[in-house]
Amino acid sequence: MRTHIAFSIVAVLAVAACSSPPEKRSYPLQGQVLAVTPDHQLATVKHEEIKGFMMAMTMAYKVSDPKLLNGIAPGDLINATLVVEPNGAYLSDVKKVGEAPLEKAADAPSATSGFELLKPGEQVPDADFVDQNGKKRTFSSFKGAPVALTFMYTTCPLPDFCPLMDRNFAAVQETIKSDPTLKNVHLVSISFDPVTDTPAVLKQHATELRADPARWTFLSGDRDTIDQFASRLGLAITRDQANPVSIAHNLRTAIVDAEGRLVKVYTGNEWKPDQLAADLKALK
Ligand SMILES: [Cu+2]
């Protein structure tokens, strides 16, 4: 009889899990604040692993209320609740529990990827992608021209993450159009959300950004291939198991020279289009 009841409960739970995925999930988060934006909308937190959800990571998080960041400063150790909704994530219940000295190189890539980080001067390994026209495209096919490369996905909920990379690349595209010494430069945006970002979605996205197909290519493809390629440049991606379009990630933008060698990697979202254009101009 007991066994029978146990089976029934399992069956009910399984049905519940299938029919109504939770709209909102909450996880305890512990970490150190590395930065707080002046408007108190975002806190960059280096946090520990959230068991069953995401690896240890440094990310800029929105907060449910900017007042939560009053009195919170870089170096503070916090406990918070990470609330994950279908379209994004934010912190609530932020509580300071201590302080610790800030480490240098806070944006160091996660060591959990298992792949060696590429160093400037090294050849970027080739990989197979699919472009916004649904055509197979190897990374090595861009050889012969300098490439500025970034990673994004079209439904990213944080406006200063992937959407900022898109806006920056759109600005760089304008610069390279108007500067004859940059006319060979090619822009490449790689989506790490192949589930949503099909070629058709990327093509529409490119149109919205007024991307010139002769200068700016959008790629996606096999998820593991993308992850492996991206991890060599320091990108860390964590997808929610239950909801693969909910993606936690950091940012990487890179310059690759005409011979396919890595020149420079920009971490985070603070680099400016002018700086990228100047670094492209300095290539010889
Ligand atoms: Cu993003």
Side-chain angles (χ1 to χ4, degrees), residues 131-163:
D131 72 12
Q132 74 272 21
N133 296 313
K135 292 224 171 69
K136 285 190 179 178
R137 190 87 201 244
T138 59
F139 186 70
S140 62
S141 68
F142 294 103
K143 268 189 197 172
V147 166
L149 165 74
T150 197
F151 297 93
M152 42 64 72
Y153 69 108
T154 61
T155 53
C156 181
L158 291 173
D160 52 349
F161 270 58
C162 301

PDB file of all heavy atoms in Angstrom, residues 131-163:
ATOM      1  N   ASP A 131      25.518  30.579 -41.105  1.00  0.00           N
ATOM      2  CA  ASP A 131      25.284  32.024 -41.116  1.00  0.00           C
ATOM      3  C   ASP A 131      23.791  32.357 -41.201  1.00  0.00           C
ATOM      4  O   ASP A 131      22.936  31.466 -41.215  1.00  0.00           O
ATOM      5  CB  ASP A 131      26.109  32.716 -42.213  1.00  0.00           C
ATOM      6  CG  ASP A 131      25.592  32.430 -43.617  1.00  0.00           C
ATOM      7  OD1 ASP A 131      24.468  31.893 -43.776  1.00  0.00           O
ATOM      8  OD2 ASP A 131      26.318  32.747 -44.586  1.00  0.00           O
ATOM      9  N   GLN A 132      23.496  33.656 -41.268  1.00  0.00           N
ATOM     10  CA  GLN A 132      22.090  34.097 -41.220  1.00  0.00           C
ATOM     11  C   GLN A 132      21.317  33.702 -42.478  1.00  0.00           C
ATOM     12  O   GLN A 132      20.087  33.834 -42.513  1.00  0.00           O
ATOM     13  CB  GLN A 132      22.003  35.616 -40.982  1.00  0.00           C
ATOM     14  CG  GLN A 132      22.366  36.501 -42.163  1.00  0.00           C
ATOM     15  CD  GLN A 132      23.858  36.818 -42.240  1.00  0.00           C
ATOM     16  OE1 GLN A 132      24.694  36.125 -41.677  1.00  0.00           O
ATOM     17  NE2 GLN A 132      24.207  37.890 -42.934  1.00  0.00           N
ATOM     18  N   ASN A 133      22.033  33.223 -43.500  1.00  0.00           N
ATOM     19  CA  ASN A 133      21.353  32.715 -44.698  1.00  0.00           C
ATOM     20  C   ASN A 133      21.195  31.206 -44.674  1.00  0.00           C
ATOM     21  O   ASN A 133      20.747  30.610 -45.663  1.00  0.00           O
ATOM     22  CB  ASN A 133      22.130  33.131 -45.946  1.00  0.00           C
ATOM     23  CG  ASN A 133      22.139  34.645 -46.115  1.00  0.00           C
ATOM     24  OD1 ASN A 133      21.092  35.283 -46.000  1.00  0.00           O
ATOM     25  ND2 ASN A 133      23.311  35.217 -46.338  1.00  0.00           N
ATOM     26  N   GLY A 134      21.618  30.595 -43.556  1.00  0.00           N
ATOM     27  CA  GLY A 134      21.504  29.142 -43.451  1.00  0.00           C
ATOM     28  C   GLY A 134      22.644  28.408 -44.141  1.00  0.00           C
ATOM     29  O   GLY A 134      22.622  27.190 -44.276  1.00  0.00           O
ATOM     30  N   LYS A 135      23.677  29.178 -44.581  1.00  0.00           N
ATOM     31  CA  LYS A 135      24.822  28.567 -45.268  1.00  0.00           C
ATOM     32  C   LYS A 135      25.893  28.176 -44.251  1.00  0.00           C
ATOM     33  O   LYS A 135      26.136  28.905 -43.284  1.00  0.00           O
ATOM     34  CB  LYS A 135      25.439  29.577 -46.236  1.00  0.00           C
ATOM     35  CG  LYS A 135      24.547  29.912 -47.406  1.00  0.00           C
ATOM     36  CD  LYS A 135      25.372  29.929 -48.702  1.00  0.00           C
ATOM     37  CE  LYS A 135      24.475  30.048 -49.913  1.00  0.00           C
ATOM     38  NZ  LYS A 135      23.838  31.387 -49.981  1.00  0.00           N
ATOM     39  N   LYS A 136      26.549  27.032 -44.494  1.00  0.00           N
ATOM     40  CA  LYS A 136      27.669  26.631 -43.658  1.00  0.00           C
ATOM     41  C   LYS A 136      28.784  27.640 -43.809  1.00  0.00           C
ATOM     42  O   LYS A 136      29.072  28.109 -44.916  1.00  0.00           O
ATOM     43  CB  LYS A 136      28.174  25.248 -44.072  1.00  0.00           C
ATOM     44  CG  LYS A 136      27.250  24.156 -43.615  1.00  0.00           C
ATOM     45  CD  LYS A 136      27.884  22.786 -43.805  1.00  0.00           C
ATOM     46  CE  LYS A 136      26.895  21.739 -43.289  1.00  0.00           C
ATOM     47  NZ  LYS A 136      27.390  20.380 -43.458  1.00  0.00           N
ATOM     48  N   ARG A 137      29.406  27.982 -42.684  1.00  0.00           N
ATOM     49  CA  ARG A 137      30.477  28.972 -42.744  1.00  0.00           C
ATOM     50  C   ARG A 137      31.524  28.589 -41.708  1.00  0.00           C
ATOM     51  O   ARG A 137      31.211  28.504 -40.516  1.00  0.00           O
ATOM     52  CB  ARG A 137      29.871  30.348 -42.412  1.00  0.00           C
ATOM     53  CG  ARG A 137      30.768  31.531 -42.657  1.00  0.00           C
ATOM     54  CD  ARG A 137      30.657  32.015 -44.084  1.00  0.00           C
ATOM     55  NE  ARG A 137      31.843  32.779 -44.429  1.00  0.00           N
ATOM     56  CZ  ARG A 137      31.851  34.078 -44.743  1.00  0.00           C
ATOM     57  NH1 ARG A 137      30.731  34.752 -44.767  1.00  0.00           N
ATOM     58  NH2 ARG A 137      32.976  34.696 -45.048  1.00  0.00           N
ATOM     59  N   THR A 138      32.738  28.328 -42.134  1.00  0.00           N
ATOM     60  CA  THR A 138      33.796  28.048 -41.174  1.00  0.00           C
ATOM     61  C   THR A 138      34.376  29.370 -40.699  1.00  0.00           C
ATOM     62  O   THR A 138      34.340  30.372 -41.429  1.00  0.00           O
ATOM     63  CB  THR A 138      34.940  27.227 -41.811  1.00  0.00           C
ATOM     64  OG1 THR A 138      35.471  27.980 -42.916  1.00  0.00           O
ATOM     65  CG2 THR A 138      34.426  25.879 -42.297  1.00  0.00           C
ATOM     66  N   PHE A 139      34.932  29.373 -39.479  1.00  0.00           N
ATOM     67  CA  PHE A 139      35.543  30.617 -39.025  1.00  0.00           C
ATOM     68  C   PHE A 139      36.733  30.962 -39.911  1.00  0.00           C
ATOM     69  O   PHE A 139      36.984  32.138 -40.197  1.00  0.00           O
ATOM     70  CB  PHE A 139      35.958  30.530 -37.546  1.00  0.00           C
ATOM     71  CG  PHE A 139      36.446  31.845 -37.033  1.00  0.00           C
ATOM     72  CD1 PHE A 139      35.559  32.898 -36.862  1.00  0.00           C
ATOM     73  CD2 PHE A 139      37.792  32.055 -36.777  1.00  0.00           C
ATOM     74  CE1 PHE A 139      36.005  34.143 -36.429  1.00  0.00           C
ATOM     75  CE2 PHE A 139      38.248  33.295 -36.345  1.00  0.00           C
ATOM     76  CZ  PHE A 139      37.343  34.334 -36.171  1.00  0.00           C
ATOM     77  N   SER A 140      37.461  29.958 -40.374  1.00  0.00           N
ATOM     78  CA  SER A 140      38.652  30.229 -41.196  1.00  0.00           C
ATOM     79  C   SER A 140      38.287  30.878 -42.530  1.00  0.00           C
ATOM     80  O   SER A 140      39.140  31.454 -43.197  1.00  0.00           O
ATOM     81  CB  SER A 140      39.437  28.933 -41.431  1.00  0.00           C
ATOM     82  OG  SER A 140      38.646  28.003 -42.142  1.00  0.00           O
ATOM     83  N   SER A 141      37.013  30.808 -42.939  1.00  0.00           N
ATOM     84  CA  SER A 141      36.620  31.421 -44.213  1.00  0.00           C
ATOM     85  C   SER A 141      36.719  32.951 -44.160  1.00  0.00           C
ATOM     86  O   SER A 141      36.659  33.609 -45.199  1.00  0.00           O
ATOM     87  CB  SER A 141      35.199  30.996 -44.591  1.00  0.00           C
ATOM     88  OG  SER A 141      34.247  31.546 -43.699  1.00  0.00           O
ATOM     89  N   PHE A 142      36.872  33.513 -42.962  1.00  0.00           N
ATOM     90  CA  PHE A 142      37.024  34.975 -42.855  1.00  0.00           C
ATOM     91  C   PHE A 142      38.475  35.411 -43.031  1.00  0.00           C
ATOM     92  O   PHE A 142      38.765  36.605 -43.051  1.00  0.00           O
ATOM     93  CB  PHE A 142      36.496  35.475 -41.510  1.00  0.00           C
ATOM     94  CG  PHE A 142      35.010  35.288 -41.348  1.00  0.00           C
ATOM     95  CD1 PHE A 142      34.506  34.268 -40.571  1.00  0.00           C
ATOM     96  CD2 PHE A 142      34.120  36.124 -42.009  1.00  0.00           C
ATOM     97  CE1 PHE A 142      33.135  34.084 -40.430  1.00  0.00           C
ATOM     98  CE2 PHE A 142      32.745  35.953 -41.878  1.00  0.00           C
ATOM     99  CZ  PHE A 142      32.250  34.924 -41.090  1.00  0.00           C
ATOM    100  N   LYS A 143      39.391  34.437 -43.140  1.00  0.00           N
ATOM    101  CA  LYS A 143      40.807  34.788 -43.313  1.00  0.00           C
ATOM    102  C   LYS A 143      40.980  35.675 -44.539  1.00  0.00           C
ATOM    103  O   LYS A 143      40.255  35.542 -45.520  1.00  0.00           O
ATOM    104  CB  LYS A 143      41.656  33.527 -43.470  1.00  0.00           C
ATOM    105  CG  LYS A 143      42.202  33.007 -42.156  1.00  0.00           C
ATOM    106  CD  LYS A 143      43.208  31.892 -42.406  1.00  0.00           C
ATOM    107  CE  LYS A 143      43.424  31.116 -41.126  1.00  0.00           C
ATOM    108  NZ  LYS A 143      44.239  29.911 -41.362  1.00  0.00           N
ATOM    109  N   GLY A 144      41.977  36.551 -44.462  1.00  0.00           N
ATOM    110  CA  GLY A 144      42.215  37.481 -45.564  1.00  0.00           C
ATOM    111  C   GLY A 144      41.763  38.879 -45.201  1.00  0.00           C
ATOM    112  O   GLY A 144      42.123  39.849 -45.860  1.00  0.00           O
ATOM    113  N   ALA A 145      40.964  38.989 -44.155  1.00  0.00           N
ATOM    114  CA  ALA A 145      40.520  40.294 -43.674  1.00  0.00           C
ATOM    115  C   ALA A 145      40.540  40.284 -42.146  1.00  0.00           C
ATOM    116  O   ALA A 145      40.278  39.239 -41.536  1.00  0.00           O
ATOM    117  CB  ALA A 145      39.098  40.575 -44.163  1.00  0.00           C
ATOM    118  N   PRO A 146      40.847  41.421 -41.537  1.00  0.00           N
ATOM    119  CA  PRO A 146      40.756  41.467 -40.068  1.00  0.00           C
ATOM    120  C   PRO A 146      39.293  41.314 -39.645  1.00  0.00           C
ATOM    121  O   PRO A 146      38.389  41.779 -40.335  1.00  0.00           O
ATOM    122  CB  PRO A 146      41.263  42.871 -39.707  1.00  0.00           C
ATOM    123  CG  PRO A 146      41.808  43.454 -40.960  1.00  0.00           C
ATOM    124  CD  PRO A 146      41.218  42.711 -42.113  1.00  0.00           C
ATOM    125  N   VAL A 147      39.106  40.643 -38.517  1.00  0.00           N
ATOM    126  CA  VAL A 147      37.756  40.380 -38.029  1.00  0.00           C
ATOM    127  C   VAL A 147      37.594  40.945 -36.621  1.00  0.00           C
ATOM    128  O   VAL A 147      38.472  40.790 -35.774  1.00  0.00           O
ATOM    129  CB  VAL A 147      37.484  38.846 -38.016  1.00  0.00           C
ATOM    130  CG1 VAL A 147      36.236  38.518 -37.200  1.00  0.00           C
ATOM    131  CG2 VAL A 147      37.335  38.314 -39.438  1.00  0.00           C
ATOM    132  N   ALA A 148      36.476  41.626 -36.406  1.00  0.00           N
ATOM    133  CA  ALA A 148      36.058  41.945 -35.043  1.00  0.00           C
ATOM    134  C   ALA A 148      34.896  41.014 -34.728  1.00  0.00           C
ATOM    135  O   ALA A 148      33.946  40.902 -35.499  1.00  0.00           O
ATOM    136  CB  ALA A 148      35.620  43.397 -34.927  1.00  0.00           C
ATOM    137  N   LEU A 149      35.028  40.314 -33.614  1.00  0.00           N
ATOM    138  CA  LEU A 149      34.151  39.198 -33.300  1.00  0.00           C
ATOM    139  C   LEU A 149      33.505  39.436 -31.944  1.00  0.00           C
ATOM    140  O   LEU A 149      34.183  39.857 -31.010  1.00  0.00           O
ATOM    141  CB  LEU A 149      35.057  37.962 -33.240  1.00  0.00           C
ATOM    142  CG  LEU A 149      34.591  36.674 -32.622  1.00  0.00           C
ATOM    143  CD1 LEU A 149      33.609  36.007 -33.554  1.00  0.00           C
ATOM    144  CD2 LEU A 149      35.797  35.761 -32.417  1.00  0.00           C
ATOM    145  N   THR A 150      32.199  39.189 -31.849  1.00  0.00           N
ATOM    146  CA  THR A 150      31.578  39.257 -30.530  1.00  0.00           C
ATOM    147  C   THR A 150      30.550  38.149 -30.387  1.00  0.00           C
ATOM    148  O   THR A 150      30.248  37.433 -31.345  1.00  0.00           O
ATOM    149  CB  THR A 150      30.961  40.656 -30.267  1.00  0.00           C
ATOM    150  OG1 THR A 150      30.739  40.797 -28.855  1.00  0.00           O
ATOM    151  CG2 THR A 150      29.646  40.864 -31.005  1.00  0.00           C
ATOM    152  N   PHE A 151      30.045  37.994 -29.168  1.00  0.00           N
ATOM    153  CA  PHE A 151      29.071  36.945 -28.866  1.00  0.00           C
ATOM    154  C   PHE A 151      27.809  37.590 -28.311  1.00  0.00           C
ATOM    155  O   PHE A 151      27.878  38.563 -27.560  1.00  0.00           O
ATOM    156  CB  PHE A 151      29.651  35.960 -27.843  1.00  0.00           C
ATOM    157  CG  PHE A 151      30.859  35.233 -28.345  1.00  0.00           C
ATOM    158  CD1 PHE A 151      32.133  35.725 -28.087  1.00  0.00           C
ATOM    159  CD2 PHE A 151      30.730  34.068 -29.088  1.00  0.00           C
ATOM    160  CE1 PHE A 151      33.262  35.061 -28.558  1.00  0.00           C
ATOM    161  CE2 PHE A 151      31.853  33.400 -29.559  1.00  0.00           C
ATOM    162  CZ  PHE A 151      33.115  33.897 -29.295  1.00  0.00           C
ATOM    163  N   MET A 152      26.676  37.045 -28.668  1.00  0.00           N
ATOM    164  CA  MET A 152      25.402  37.616 -28.239  1.00  0.00           C
ATOM    165  C   MET A 152      24.297  36.597 -28.446  1.00  0.00           C
ATOM    166  O   MET A 152      24.515  35.543 -29.027  1.00  0.00           O
ATOM    167  CB  MET A 152      25.069  38.888 -29.041  1.00  0.00           C
ATOM    168  CG  MET A 152      25.333  38.865 -30.543  1.00  0.00           C
ATOM    169  SD  MET A 152      24.424  37.723 -31.586  1.00  0.00           S
ATOM    170  CE  MET A 152      22.800  38.496 -31.542  1.00  0.00           C
ATOM    171  N   TYR A 153      23.098  36.914 -27.948  1.00  0.00           N
ATOM    172  CA  TYR A 153      21.904  36.198 -28.397  1.00  0.00           C
ATOM    173  C   TYR A 153      20.756  37.186 -28.442  1.00  0.00           C
ATOM    174  O   TYR A 153      20.733  38.168 -27.696  1.00  0.00           O
ATOM    175  CB  TYR A 153      21.613  34.959 -27.560  1.00  0.00           C
ATOM    176  CG  TYR A 153      21.153  35.154 -26.140  1.00  0.00           C
ATOM    177  CD1 TYR A 153      19.830  34.896 -25.775  1.00  0.00           C
ATOM    178  CD2 TYR A 153      22.028  35.559 -25.148  1.00  0.00           C
ATOM    179  CE1 TYR A 153      19.401  35.026 -24.463  1.00  0.00           C
ATOM    180  CE2 TYR A 153      21.609  35.706 -23.835  1.00  0.00           C
ATOM    181  CZ  TYR A 153      20.300  35.435 -23.496  1.00  0.00           C
ATOM    182  OH  TYR A 153      19.880  35.578 -22.204  1.00  0.00           O
ATOM    183  N   THR A 154      19.830  36.958 -29.376  1.00  0.00           N
ATOM    184  CA  THR A 154      18.894  38.025 -29.732  1.00  0.00           C
ATOM    185  C   THR A 154      17.878  38.329 -28.641  1.00  0.00           C
ATOM    186  O   THR A 154      17.326  39.424 -28.615  1.00  0.00           O
ATOM    187  CB  THR A 154      18.126  37.686 -31.027  1.00  0.00           C
ATOM    188  OG1 THR A 154      17.375  36.481 -30.806  1.00  0.00           O
ATOM    189  CG2 THR A 154      19.061  37.492 -32.199  1.00  0.00           C
ATOM    190  N   THR A 155      17.608  37.366 -27.738  1.00  0.00           N
ATOM    191  CA  THR A 155      16.585  37.614 -26.718  1.00  0.00           C
ATOM    192  C   THR A 155      17.204  37.950 -25.363  1.00  0.00           C
ATOM    193  O   THR A 155      16.531  37.862 -24.338  1.00  0.00           O
ATOM    194  CB  THR A 155      15.652  36.392 -26.576  1.00  0.00           C
ATOM    195  OG1 THR A 155      16.449  35.226 -26.348  1.00  0.00           O
ATOM    196  CG2 THR A 155      14.815  36.187 -27.828  1.00  0.00           C
ATOM    197  N   CYS A 156      18.462  38.346 -25.355  1.00  0.00           N
ATOM    198  CA  CYS A 156      19.138  38.699 -24.100  1.00  0.00           C
ATOM    199  C   CYS A 156      18.335  39.774 -23.362  1.00  0.00           C
ATOM    200  O   CYS A 156      18.023  40.816 -23.926  1.00  0.00           O
ATOM    201  CB  CYS A 156      20.538  39.215 -24.391  1.00  0.00           C
ATOM    202  SG  CYS A 156      21.456  39.648 -22.904  1.00  0.00           S
ATOM    203  N   PRO A 157      18.011  39.526 -22.090  1.00  0.00           N
ATOM    204  CA  PRO A 157      17.144  40.470 -21.379  1.00  0.00           C
ATOM    205  C   PRO A 157      17.888  41.673 -20.797  1.00  0.00           C
ATOM    206  O   PRO A 157      17.243  42.622 -20.366  1.00  0.00           O
ATOM    207  CB  PRO A 157      16.566  39.618 -20.251  1.00  0.00           C
ATOM    208  CG  PRO A 157      17.611  38.577 -19.998  1.00  0.00           C
ATOM    209  CD  PRO A 157      18.294  38.319 -21.308  1.00  0.00           C
ATOM    210  N   LEU A 158      19.196  41.646 -20.782  1.00  0.00           N
ATOM    211  CA  LEU A 158      19.945  42.740 -20.147  1.00  0.00           C
ATOM    212  C   LEU A 158      20.406  43.724 -21.216  1.00  0.00           C
ATOM    213  O   LEU A 158      21.290  43.420 -21.995  1.00  0.00           O
ATOM    214  CB  LEU A 158      21.163  42.192 -19.395  1.00  0.00           C
ATOM    215  CG  LEU A 158      20.866  41.371 -18.140  1.00  0.00           C
ATOM    216  CD1 LEU A 158      22.149  40.761 -17.598  1.00  0.00           C
ATOM    217  CD2 LEU A 158      20.212  42.232 -17.074  1.00  0.00           C
ATOM    218  N   PRO A 159      19.804  44.911 -21.237  1.00  0.00           N
ATOM    219  CA  PRO A 159      20.085  45.850 -22.341  1.00  0.00           C
ATOM    220  C   PRO A 159      21.549  46.249 -22.454  1.00  0.00           C
ATOM    221  O   PRO A 159      21.998  46.638 -23.516  1.00  0.00           O
ATOM    222  CB  PRO A 159      19.227  47.078 -21.998  1.00  0.00           C
ATOM    223  CG  PRO A 159      18.249  46.609 -20.980  1.00  0.00           C
ATOM    224  CD  PRO A 159      18.840  45.428 -20.274  1.00  0.00           C
ATOM    225  N   ASP A 160      22.281  46.155 -21.345  1.00  0.00           N
ATOM    226  CA  ASP A 160      23.697  46.547 -21.427  1.00  0.00           C
ATOM    227  C   ASP A 160      24.601  45.333 -21.631  1.00  0.00           C
ATOM    228  O   ASP A 160      25.801  45.407 -21.429  1.00  0.00           O
ATOM    229  CB  ASP A 160      24.112  47.351 -20.190  1.00  0.00           C
ATOM    230  CG  ASP A 160      23.759  46.622 -18.907  1.00  0.00           C
ATOM    231  OD1 ASP A 160      23.024  45.616 -18.966  1.00  0.00           O
ATOM    232  OD2 ASP A 160      24.223  47.062 -17.841  1.00  0.00           O
ATOM    233  N   PHE A 161      24.016  44.212 -21.994  1.00  0.00           N
ATOM    234  CA  PHE A 161      24.829  43.044 -22.353  1.00  0.00           C
ATOM    235  C   PHE A 161      24.755  42.859 -23.870  1.00  0.00           C
ATOM    236  O   PHE A 161      25.247  43.681 -24.615  1.00  0.00           O
ATOM    237  CB  PHE A 161      24.359  41.813 -21.562  1.00  0.00           C
ATOM    238  CG  PHE A 161      25.076  41.672 -20.242  1.00  0.00           C
ATOM    239  CD1 PHE A 161      25.030  42.679 -19.290  1.00  0.00           C
ATOM    240  CD2 PHE A 161      25.820  40.542 -19.958  1.00  0.00           C
ATOM    241  CE1 PHE A 161      25.701  42.552 -18.086  1.00  0.00           C
ATOM    242  CE2 PHE A 161      26.494  40.404 -18.751  1.00  0.00           C
ATOM    243  CZ  PHE A 161      26.429  41.408 -17.816  1.00  0.00           C
ATOM    244  N   CYS A 162      24.118  41.795 -24.334  1.00  0.00           N
ATOM    245  CA  CYS A 162      24.103  41.524 -25.778  1.00  0.00           C
ATOM    246  C   CYS A 162      23.577  42.699 -26.617  1.00  0.00           C
ATOM    247  O   CYS A 162      24.166  43.027 -27.646  1.00  0.00           O
ATOM    248  CB  CYS A 162      23.319  40.262 -26.068  1.00  0.00           C
ATOM    249  SG  CYS A 162      24.000  38.817 -25.240  1.00  0.00           S
ATOM    250  N   PRO A 163      22.479  43.333 -26.212  1.00  0.00           N
ATOM    251  CA  PRO A 163      22.004  44.455 -27.040  1.00  0.00           C
ATOM    252  C   PRO A 163      23.038  45.579 -27.167  1.00  0.00           C
ATOM    253  O   PRO A 163      23.102  46.244 -28.205  1.00  0.00           O
ATOM    254  CB  PRO A 163      20.738  44.927 -26.307  1.00  0.00           C
ATOM    255  CG  PRO A 163      20.256  43.712 -25.573  1.00  0.00           C
ATOM    256  CD  PRO A 163      21.522  43.006 -25.131  1.00  0.00           C
TER     257      PRO A 163
END
